[in-house]
Amino acid sequence: MTLEEFIGYYTLNVQHMGWFLGAGASRSANMPSATDIIWDLKRRHYCLQENQDISDNDLSNIGVKDTVQNYFKSQGAPDIWSDNEYSYYFELVLGNDQNLHRQYLEEKLHPDKISLTSGSKILASLMGQNLARTVFTTNFDQVVENAFSYINEKNLHSYNLEGTHAVLEALNNEEYPIYAKMHGDFRYTSLKNLHEQLLENDKKIEESFVNACTRFGMVVCGYSGRDQNVMQAFYRVLEQSNPFPKGVFWTKPINGILFAEVEKFLEAAKEKGVKAHFVEIETYDSLMSKIWKSIPNKIDAHNNKIRQSISQKPKIDRFQKNGTYPLIRTNLFPITKTPNGANLITIKPNLTNKEFGERLTSSKSSALLTKVGGKEYIGWGFESEYQKIFAKEEIQSIDKVDLEPYFDKISIDTHFKSFITRALVYAILKDKPAVLKRKYRDYYAVLSTKHPNFGASNAEQLLKNALKKYDYNKRRLLPANKIVSQLERGIYYMESVHLSLEIFDNKLWLSLRPDVWIEPRSKRKDFIDFIRNKKKSRYNSVQNDLIDAWKLILLGGEQTNILSAFDDNVEMNPKFEISSRTAYSKRITNE
């Protein structure tokens, strides 16, 4: 299910949907995920046994990570991403001492470290309005409690392993919202971290979860399906007479990892007649922000608090030109000049946005148009292309208009920004050996061997060189073998780059983000492992080379490039001047 389809369905059924949260839902609030904790335990044990000094930051280096993992592999430890990896390292490092477990988690999950973000605040508002009546979690942290207290100005009682006697009664009495922790709370003693403990949930919390899932649909967010006992609870729901009456929706970040058991569960749910889907998201916060925009009749006090975290600009000191070396290269290219004029088309009928959109889609016109008033549109292209959208007799006049007033409001006018983005993308891809693909509202340039300009370009070699890998047999770096290939009959992999228009410091920037494309797009979900393997070793140096390669392919080798969306014989032709030098960050020095 697409994200847009899910949000449409969710907002229609919001009062009948519950939530299940894993550690991924707390990560943006500065809480570690299960994977973060596993690697911290590995690091501590490895440093102790091997007399090494490795920091958390060192683990961002793939070489260091491989060294640590190879050590544990030689010791007979579970494979990475195995089901019992979490409990194995907890027991290896901390033993069976419950006090040590609690002290360790208290250090990692201390409330002072929590930084509330829009996602947790939005869920707290939904809970306070009885729009999210049941929330279950495997987390130990207090993110939800803190967010609830901040938004609703009252405390949230959480049911945990020490106080489960009332959770079923609360559910039966509809004493919402119900917030229950299936793995316990580090403030109490009955933590469930070790393998034998994780095999069996607290019966009353599990029973309340099963009962809740026969009354509500369920949205799963930030949970990978790592725990055998939790997945068994999900399967128990399917044994009931009315499992997930409003469906079960398992969200997954674009580059996230889910265990194979999740897909098996969703297939089993579908066999039971349950509406069961994967939903690909960017992050928990972005998902909740999109949901919040679709929720009607928001409480003003809640909305004001939530908008602060969605819209507030970060306060970042600007560096001075002090001769320091750049620290980080970004993927943003400055747009130094934008189109200064366009056609203003006034028509006789007053079309709704929906009617205009339907005409744009069905007409297959090459013109670029956007609605700016009741009967007024601005655009670029031949008049004959406008007439594919509006009948000749419908057009009242075509004049010229200055775009500067529109650019002054581009940061708040999403329709105009989308219009300029389309023109920018058309200009970038004109005569380039790539085809334009859409994923929801995003644009991708996808390398195409069938493009008439592919053979004359050096795009293939540029990308192969950017994706070079070290060959241990030949002891040298070798270019990638393929950047376009057939995976199965009718299904292809192609190198691609995501294109977007960004606004920072009141300036416009072209963003290039290298990616992997699966054609047809609907098959992408079937090749998640393939995509993950393709992208897993694309760290800083490779990303840097990929950005350079796509820069040369799409912008050329000049320091400044002037690109236009149409041929020169089009009078109103949007032109952009783009610098090929990306933005850099620099170290701030105290003088």
Side-chain angles (χ1 to χ4, degrees), residues 189-257:
T189 59
S190 298
L191 292 169
K192 288 180 177 277
N193 292 314
L194 303 186
H195 180 66
E196 60 270 19
Q197 295 171 319
L198 288 171
L199 286 176
E200 187 173 358
N201 278 329
D202 179 274
K203 292 300 181 183
K204 289 181 180 176
I205 286 187
E206 181 178 324
E207 189 174 347
S208 67
F209 170 75
V210 172
N211 286 351
C213 290
T214 62
R215 305 182 190 187
F216 301 97
M218 187 63 65
V219 183
V220 184
C221 201
Y223 181 62
S224 63
R226 180 187 295 273
D227 307 302
Q228 180 183 346
N229 68 318
V230 172
M231 293 308 300
Q232 286 175 347
F234 274 93
Y235 277 108
R236 271 199 62 198
V237 178
L238 299 182
E239 298 171 1
Q240 312 306 307
S241 59
N242 188 35
F244 304 106
K246 290 296 181 178
V248 57
F249 305 90
W250 212 293
T251 67
K252 185 188 83 65
I254 294 171
N255 296 321
I257 293 175

Side-chain angles (χ1 to χ4, degrees), residues 87-99:
S87 55
Y88 173 86
Y89 287 106
F90 240 100
E91 188 169 7
L92 177 68
V93 177
L94 302 174
N96 294 311
D97 191 327
Q98 293 285 346
N99 288 328

